[in-house]
Amino acid sequence: MRLNQVLPPDMATGRGKHGEKSDLVVHDDELGALGHMAFELRARLSTIGNHASQTTASAAGEMSSDGLDAGSALRELHDAWGTKLATVKEACAHISNHLDYSRAQHRSDDRKIATNMRNAKGEAMTVSRIYNYIK
């Protein structure tokens, strides 16, 4: 990550001095796609992840009432699955929300920078004018 300096032209494209890929280059459309994938995964996990929940709980109850130790083991497995599933769903929600927030915040920051930058005469600075000053 480089702060307080303009990237050389090769870094602006996401390539380093020796052609290696920079590790902090992400495009807005990629963030949107990843956030949407996390949102869809959470929705699918909510449906598919609980598909056998009632049947498993019922089987565990019946086995326990029949005196089988496997009933309590199945209940523990059922509860552990529910906990792990909830954790993965929560992680997906955090990823989706964070990427949505990041995209909105970056757009807001870009607009603010674009509208607030002025030269010594008070004229608005365009990207090309800024680049000409830096060259």
Side-chain angles (χ1 to χ4, degrees):
M1 184 172 188
R2 296 174 189 249
L3 300 174
N4 299 326
Q5 61 184 341
V6 174
L7 295 174
D10 61 332
M11 290 299 288
T13 62
R15 296 281 174 198
K17 290 181 184 176
H18 306 288
E20 71 273 5
K21 191 80 172 141
S22 299
D23 61 349
L24 293 175
V25 176
V26 180
H27 302 283
D28 190 56
D29 57 338
E30 291 170 339
L31 289 176
L34 289 171
H36 186 68
M37 287 169 53
F39 176 79
E40 287 182 334
L41 178 57
R42 185 191 182 288
R44 287 182 27 221
L45 285 170
S46 294
T47 304
I48 297 169
N50 286 322
H51 177 72
S53 181
Q54 280 187 320
T55 307
T56 305
S58 175
E62 287 181 29
M63 283 196 254
S64 292
S65 67
D66 288 342
L68 299 172
D69 290 338
S72 63
L74 185 58
R75 168 60 69 191
E76 282 185 43
L77 177 66
H78 173 269
D79 294 346
W81 173 258
T83 300
K84 300 298 182 192
L85 179 63
T87 301
V88 173
K89 286 171 28 181
E90 186 174 332
C92 289
H94 280 294
I95 291 167
S96 177
N97 291 341
H98 178 72
L99 292 176
D100 286 345
Y101 172 81
S102 295
R103 290 177 70 205
Q105 188 63 45
H106 287 294
R107 277 193 300 272
S108 173
D109 291 346
D110 286 345
R111 278 192 299 272
K112 185 176 180 180
I113 290 169
T115 58
N116 289 345
M117 289 192 72
R118 306 251 178 230
N119 65 11
K121 296 177 185 176
E123 300 166 331
M125 297 289 288
T126 62
V127 174
S128 59
R129 290 180 77 197
I130 294 168
Y131 183 72
N132 286 336
Y133 279 116
I134 295 171
K135 285 198 297 187

